[in-house]
Amino acid sequence: MNKATCGLIIGSRVYSGKQMLFLTIVSIYARLVEDEMVLNCKYEAVLEVLFGKWKTVILFNLFSNGTMRFSELQKAIPDITKKMLTHHLRELVYHDIVHREVYQQVPPKVEYSISAYGRSLLPVLLAMNEWGMAHGKHLTELYGEESGQ
C-alpha cells in the first residue's frame, strides 16, 4: 500500500487514515467550540452598545435626571462636542436603550429618556461602576495615590 494514496500528505509528513480521522474530529470540535463561543459569548454586543467615551456618561445623566433635552445633556456634559453627543444618542436610540420623543411644535422640541428596554442596563452599569471604584482602589494600593484616580 502506497502511503501517498491511503494517507494525507501535509508538508513532508504523511498522515494515516486514523490520524486523518483524528485530525478531522479535532478540527470539527474546534469549529464547534468556536461557533459555540460566537453564539453564546455576547460581550461584543454589550460593548457595541456601551463602547464610546461618552455613552456611559450620557446614560448616567439620563438615569439620574430622567427625561432631558439635547441642550440639557450638553450642559450636563460640558466636554462633549455637539457632533459626538448627536452620534452617541443616535446609536443609543438605534439599540432601543434611549427613547427619543419629538414634539411637533415650533421651535421643535426633542426629549431623551431611558427606554423601558434600556432600564435593563442599570444593573450592568452599576456593576461596572462598582468594579471601576474597586479597581481604582486596587491601583491606589499597588502604586500610590496618583495611579488610582
Side-chain angles (χ1 to χ4, degrees):
M1 207 173 356
N2 183 347
K3 283 189 178 182
T5 58
C6 14
L8 173 67
I9 301 174
I10 299 178
S12 61
R13 178 136 187 188
V14 178
Y15 292 93
S16 70
K18 287 182 183 178
Q19 289 172 323
M20 286 188 332
L21 179 62
F22 177 75
L23 289 173
T24 303
I25 291 170
V26 168
S27 175
I28 290 170
Y29 178 76
R31 276 187 264 144
L32 288 174
V33 169
E34 184 178 305
D35 290 346
E36 186 72 18
M37 286 180 66
V38 169
L39 291 174
N40 293 326
C41 183
K42 299 300 181 187
Y43 292 110
E44 288 183 14
V46 174
L47 292 176
E48 182 181 340
V49 173
L50 296 179
F51 182 75
K53 180 177 180 179
W54 300 106
K55 283 186 183 175
T56 53
V57 177
I58 293 167
L59 291 172
F60 170 78
N61 277 283
L62 290 174
F63 271 114
S64 300
N65 301 314
T67 301
M68 296 180 77
R69 297 182 70 176
F70 187 89
S71 60
E72 293 171 327
L73 281 165
Q74 274 188 303
K75 289 176 188 170
I77 314 167
D79 293 336
I80 193 171
T81 64
K82 184 177 180 180
K83 179 181 176 182
M84 191 56 61
L85 179 58
T86 301
H87 175 73
H88 285 319
L89 283 170
R90 284 183 182 154
E91 286 183 355
L92 291 166
V93 168
Y94 172 80
H95 288 286
D96 193 32
I97 304 301
V98 169
H99 173 72
R100 182 177 189 259
E101 183 73 32
V102 180
Y103 296 92
Q104 299 301 322
Q105 64 184 43
V106 177
K109 179 181 174 183
V110 179
E111 292 181 335
Y112 296 92
S113 60
I114 301 293
S115 69
Y117 177 70
R119 287 189 202 101
S120 66
L121 264 179
L122 184 57
V124 174
L125 294 172
L126 290 173
M128 287 173 53
N129 184 58
E130 190 175 309
W131 185 89
M133 290 172 38
H135 182 63
K137 184 178 177 183
H138 175 72
L139 290 179
T140 299
E141 291 169 359
L142 280 177
Y143 304 112
E145 196 62 39
E146 292 180 18
S147 298
Q149 296 179 5

